[in-house]
Amino acid sequence: MWMGDFNHFNLLGLVLQSVFIENFLLVNFLGMCTYLACSTKLKTANGLGIAVVFVLTVSGVLNWLLHRFVTGPGALSWLSFIGVDAERIDLGFLEFLLFISVIAGFTQILEIIIEWASPALYMSLGLYLPLIAVNCAILGACLFAVTRDYPFIPNLIYVLGSALGWWLAIALIAAIREKLAISNIVPGLRGMGITFIMSGLMSMAFMGFTGIKLANPAPPQVATWGEEPAAENEEPILDSRDPSLPTISFLSLSH
Amino acid sequence: MSSSKQSVLVFFTSQVWTNNQVLIAILGICSALAVTNRLSVAITMGISVSFVTAFSSFFVSLLRKYTPDNVRMITQLAIISVFVIVIDQFLRAFFFDISKVLSVFVGLIITNCIVMGRTEGMAKNVAPIPAFLDGLGAGTGYAIVLIIIGFFRELFGFGQLFGYQVIPLEWYASAENPEGYENFVLMVSPPAAFFLIGGLIYVFRKLQKTA
């Protein structure tokens, strides 16, 4: 439950993978709307990035617990200790509803706490919190983590890394957009048009990492400091990502 | 009668063309980029989003007088996720292959800014029928953009449409014919979607200025 087949080396790989190889903004395209609305100033982008890191990490963990103990397959079996046989109840269809409620509820609570604890922080960060409730990066990371069946610690690392990657991407792009704002661009492309094309170029830069697999739970041949060798025939949870996903196909298509 | 009918229909058409949510309001970009490298997937996604937007606008509008203002975001999210669950279960039951490809992106319709934008920006202020048409129009406009992008990406990326080979196989480069045609691999990869949307925004602005 805590580590599964992952060793420390895999965790490091998972960080690199979620920050760079599968960058949420530039490779998975999640959190686009918030990014397009809030990336004109580097300062705004940083505020939003910090808020996303915080919300995604906490709600990622909460949703993992929710999946493990409420909605996952056979998750309700712990009810047997109060004499209820709920082994076969599958609440999987409620997952979306519960996940989004956790995220929205958590951002709401966080907003109240920040407002009460530190008005200064609230002034700079609080504005973005409602936006984050509907940021697809948050829900997306929670759903990806559940789809890939991460154990607890890798899940924590994965959501944290995804959030950091998102922050990195939005900060990089905000810096470029500050320069774009004072450049001379074709009228039809001014504003959003050029932003898309620039994001495409950034995304191509991140594509350079595609295909590097660092986080497979099977132990790497050279590394000897892993705790113990994991089972050989483990299904590669992270074939860098689900091969059926449409956005990967760059390498798999070049034969 | 006819004039009032027309004015209701305006809710639909303005969303499809003049206020196209993807190209003018720049909303719903995430899925427009991520699920468009196959035309069939793009169409499924477009229909799903239209369904969810239309019905959640309808119900948000129906409940608009009974929803306290400070819990309206959560109420809207709950209504939206109910319809997303319906769509998700439906796709899993009848179109399993496509739902595998869409994977988490069906769930992400919940956070699709178009849905939230329409319920928050329109449905909570107007009667159910206009709200329904408005949502349907927004979804249709989104679907059209998705189809255009999906068309180009599948045609040039795979040489296929709906999974059928369109560009003749004899044209392709082979051992005997090294100068032949090759698929444009960039089209399949994520950045191409950015370039296509950027280009579409440009074309759309040009068209609207002359129209």
Side-chain angles (χ1 to χ4, degrees):
Chain A
M1 169 177 167
W2 293 107
M3 285 290 275
D5 292 321
F6 287 77
N7 59 32
H8 297 97
F9 185 79
N10 294 145
L11 291 184
L12 181 67
L14 199 56
V15 174
L16 291 177
Q17 172 181 312
S18 51
V19 175
F20 296 106
I21 304 172
E22 284 177 29
N23 188 290
F24 251 67
L25 191 57
L26 292 170
V27 180
N28 278 337
F29 300 136
L30 295 174
M32 269 292 147
C33 309
T34 335
Y35 144 67
L36 288 167
C38 296
S39 64
T40 41
K41 286 264 181 327
L42 189 54
K43 197 160 169 274
T44 326
N46 277 331
L48 194 64
I50 294 168
V52 165
V53 171
F54 194 67
V55 173
L56 180 49
T57 312
V58 176
S59 55
V61 170
L62 289 178
N63 280 339
W64 185 88
L65 293 171
L66 200 61
H67 176 75
R68 180 76 175 67
F69 294 110
V70 183
T71 58
L76 286 169
S77 51
W78 56 271
L79 280 177
S80 59
F81 86 99
I82 51 166
V84 182
D85 181 24
E87 177 78 48
R88 295 181 164 208
I89 297 177
D90 184 3
L91 292 178
F93 65 94
L94 279 179
E95 210 147 68
F96 295 151
L97 189 56
L98 291 176
F99 278 18
I100 196 71
S101 312
V102 165
I103 295 168
F106 177 69
T107 39
Q108 200 94 57
I109 293 167
L110 192 67
E111 200 180 338
I112 295 167
I113 292 176
I114 292 182
E115 191 177 10
W116 168 77
S118 156
L121 185 64
Y122 180 74
M123 286 309 284
S124 62
L125 208 63
L127 297 168
Y128 310 118
L129 286 173
L131 267 178
I132 286 173
V134 288
N135 186 333
C136 21
I138 315 271
L139 185 60
C142 297
L143 290 176
F144 269 127
V146 164
T147 320
R148 292 174 189 176
D149 242 345
Y150 286 128
F152 185 82
I153 303 284
N155 172 68
L156 177 67
I157 301 283
Y158 175 74
V159 290
L160 181 65
S162 307
L164 288 174
W166 198 87
W167 181 12
L168 173 74
I170 194 175
L172 285 175
I173 284 173
I176 299 179
R177 278 186 79 175
E178 282 190 352
K179 287 275 183 285
L180 275 183
I182 50 167
S183 322
N184 189 9
I185 301 160
V186 189
L189 282 177
R190 242 168 237 169
M192 281 307 161
I194 194 72
T195 306
F196 271 102
I197 292 172
M198 183 268 295
S199 312
L201 293 172
M202 287 295 286
S203 170
M204 279 177 87
F206 272 79
M207 296 276 309
F209 297 111
T210 322
I212 305 172
K213 286 173 198 162
L214 289 170
N216 281 355
Q221 258 73 33
V222 281
T224 47
W225 62 85
E227 280 181 326
E228 55 188 88
E232 285 284 320
N233 59 351
E234 263 317 303
E235 204 162 298
I237 295 181
L238 284 171
D239 181 5
S240 109
R241 68 160 69 181
D242 188 349
S244 57
L245 260 182
T247 44
I248 172 88
S249 10
F250 190 69
L251 281 194
S252 50
L253 276 161
S254 45
H255 313 292
Chain B
M1 182 63 207
S2 76
S3 74
S4 79
K5 199 171 184 184
Q6 225 170 14
S7 65
V8 168
L9 272 182
V10 165
F11 281 98
F12 180 78
T13 51
S14 83
Q15 284 303 321
V16 176
W17 182 248
T18 35
N19 288 325
N20 189 296
Q21 291 290 311
V22 182
L23 299 178
I24 300 295
I26 321 283
L27 292 177
I29 299 296
C30 320
S31 47
L33 294 164
V35 298
T36 48
N37 63 1
R38 285 281 184 182
L39 198 48
S40 53
V41 180
I43 289 177
T44 316
M45 192 68 183
I47 294 173
S48 315
V49 170
S50 305
F51 171 84
V52 173
T53 327
F55 281 95
S56 43
S57 285
F58 183 78
F59 279 94
V60 166
S61 165
L62 210 58
L63 293 173
R64 71 188 187 283
K65 290 188 183 133
Y66 312 101
T67 317
D69 209 36
N70 46 3
V71 293
R72 72 167 195 281
M73 290 276 262
I74 301 245
T75 319
Q76 287 170 4
L77 279 176
I79 292 174
I80 294 168
S81 39
V82 167
F83 288 104
V84 172
I85 290 170
V86 171
I87 273 285
D88 183 48
Q89 300 288 327
F90 176 80
L91 286 179
R92 276 190 207 181
F94 296 103
F95 299 96
F96 189 69
D97 293 337
I98 289 183
S99 91
K100 274 294 246 194
V101 176
L102 283 172
S103 68
V104 302
F105 288 98
V106 179
L108 288 175
I109 297 177
I110 298 174
T111 49
N112 191 318
C113 328
I114 293 181
V115 187
M116 201 71 194
R118 287 342 285 163
T119 56
E120 181 70 21
M122 182 64 87
K124 76 181 170 70
N125 305 318
V126 298
I129 298 294
F132 180 84
L133 286 172
D134 177 80
L136 193 64
T140 313
Y142 169 86
I144 290 171
V145 175
L146 246 66
I147 289 168
I148 296 174
I149 300 173
F151 175 81
F152 284 111
R153 287 185 75 181
E154 185 166 1
L155 181 63
F156 293 111
F158 296 94
Q160 301 172 339
L161 287 178
F162 294 108
Y164 294 104
Q165 195 70 33
V166 173
I167 295 174
L169 283 173
E170 303 90 68
W171 292 9
Y172 278 89
S174 58
E176 305 91 69
N177 178 20
E179 304 286 291
Y181 177 82
E182 275 185 54
N183 280 335
F184 188 23
V185 183
L186 177 70
M187 275 294 167
V188 182
S189 68
F194 279 111
F195 298 138
L196 278 173
I197 292 195
L200 268 183
I201 290 175
Y202 181 70
V203 172
F204 199 72
R205 283 184 183 170
K206 283 274 172 211
L207 281 179
Q208 283 209 332
K209 234 168 258 175
T210 54

